Amino acid sequence: MGQKINPLGFRLGTTQSHHSFWFAKPKNFSMDLQEDERIRNCIKNYVKKNKKIASGFEGIVHIGIQKRIDLIHVIIYIGFPNLLIEGRTRGVEELQMNVQNEFNSVNRRLNIAIKRIEKPYGQPNILAEYIALQLKNRVSFRKAMKKAIELTEQTGTKGIQVQIAGRIDGKEIARVEWIREGRVPLQTIRAKIDYCSHTIRTIYGVLGIKIWIFVNQE
């Protein structure tokens, strides 16, 4: 049987780099790892609560964390910055205060920066959120998948595969449906592949969305 592996972890050190940069002693490693997870969750919850447009979009591609002795530097890579801040710095300051209060770390300062991603629809996380929104609005899953692929093709990617699993369209028996456009060489380590898995809660159960995007080959 084919052994499934996460495409990002499989390519670490070649085409993929870590999202967290810090060094810790073995006994403190697990605490620092949990702290990273809590920072990411706190930021995502803040964005969910305070986004200006009630579109269901978070627009966060990923969150990078760099830690030093006296500083935690967080970089939010976001596709649609206006969802978080509408041309004002107060949004970032407010978020920074919110996260700082959550952790109440006296010894370390927290610094949050926002970077805009130029082609948001070339990112699997944003596409997964787009498909999730369509499915919640009772759009046909095949129509949502095809529309997502159309949006990706405009960004100039070489290939995309989208998979949805669960009680699709409210059917009693769960099934897996997938669609592929272009090349997606999962076995080739030199191929830069972006991947994400996203869970959505619908009225008839939980659906899982997986997206693989073949960006380029080194």
Side-chain angles (χ1 to χ4, degrees):
M1 296 294 288
Q3 306 301 311
K4 310 292 183 294
I5 186 168
N6 189 308
L8 304 181
F10 188 47
R11 288 170 176 77
L12 267 180
T14 50
T15 58
Q16 188 67 30
S17 60
H18 290 275
H19 291 167
S20 292
F21 292 93
W22 43 265
F23 178 79
K25 291 180 179 175
K27 63 177 182 181
N28 300 332
F29 186 86
S30 60
M31 281 165 58
D32 278 19
L33 197 62
Q34 286 168 6
E35 188 179 59
D36 279 12
E37 190 64 25
R38 293 212 316 275
I39 287 172
R40 289 192 172 101
N41 289 341
C42 188
I43 290 169
K44 283 178 182 174
N45 292 340
Y46 177 86
V47 174
K48 254 184 201 170
K49 281 179 193 168
N50 296 292
K51 55 179 174 254
K52 298 197 85 176
I53 309 158
S55 61
F57 255 90
E58 281 177 29
I60 293 175
V61 177
H62 71 264
I63 298 167
I65 297 174
Q66 298 169 7
K67 287 182 185 175
R68 296 179 201 156
I69 296 169
D70 59 343
L71 177 72
I72 300 174
H73 185 54
V74 179
I75 304 166
I76 303 172
Y77 295 87
I78 195 163
F80 310 102
N82 57 331
L83 294 186
L84 181 59
I85 44 162
E86 196 75 274
R88 62 199 173 98
T89 53
R90 239 193 75 239
V92 181
E93 285 169 16
E94 209 176 290
L95 172 60
Q96 204 162 297
M97 289 286 290
N98 199 29
V99 178
Q100 190 91 47
N101 292 341
E102 185 86 17
F103 289 92
N104 54 46
S105 57
V106 183
N107 305 330
R108 287 191 288 185
R109 286 186 302 111
L110 182 80
N111 182 27
I112 292 179
I114 287 178
K115 280 194 179 178
R116 187 176 188 276
I117 300 289
E118 281 186 12
K119 295 175 179 174
Y121 288 113
Q123 302 295 331
N125 295 52
I126 288 174
L127 278 180
E129 283 181 26
Y130 171 80
I131 293 172
L133 192 65
Q134 298 293 313
L135 292 177
K136 277 183 179 173
N137 294 339
R138 305 287 191 88
V139 174
S140 157
F141 75 94
R142 208 162 261 124
K143 198 174 179 182
M145 284 158 88
K146 282 179 180 168
K147 182 65 181 161
I149 286 173
E150 275 174 36
L151 289 169
T152 313
E153 282 172 346
Q154 291 167 15
T155 63
T157 53
K158 292 188 175 181
I160 175 173
Q161 180 174 327
V162 181
Q163 177 181 303
I164 299 178
R167 287 185 59 188
I168 300 167
D169 289 341
K171 298 280 178 7
E172 282 191 15
I173 296 175
R175 66 187 199 275
V176 178
E177 293 282 348
W178 62 274
I179 188 167
R180 187 194 296 139
E181 198 71 47
R183 283 176 64 226
V184 185
L186 295 178
Q187 296 288 309
T188 313
I189 297 178
R190 283 174 306 152
K192 181 165 172 46
I193 286 181
D194 276 346
Y195 164 81
C196 102
S197 61
H198 188 82
T199 308
I200 69 159
R201 298 182 184 282
T202 62
I203 54 166
Y204 35 75
V206 176
L207 298 180
I209 302 169
K210 286 183 180 177
I211 297 179
W212 296 260
I213 294 178
F214 177 30
V215 185
N216 59 15
Q217 192 157 343
E218 289 186 358

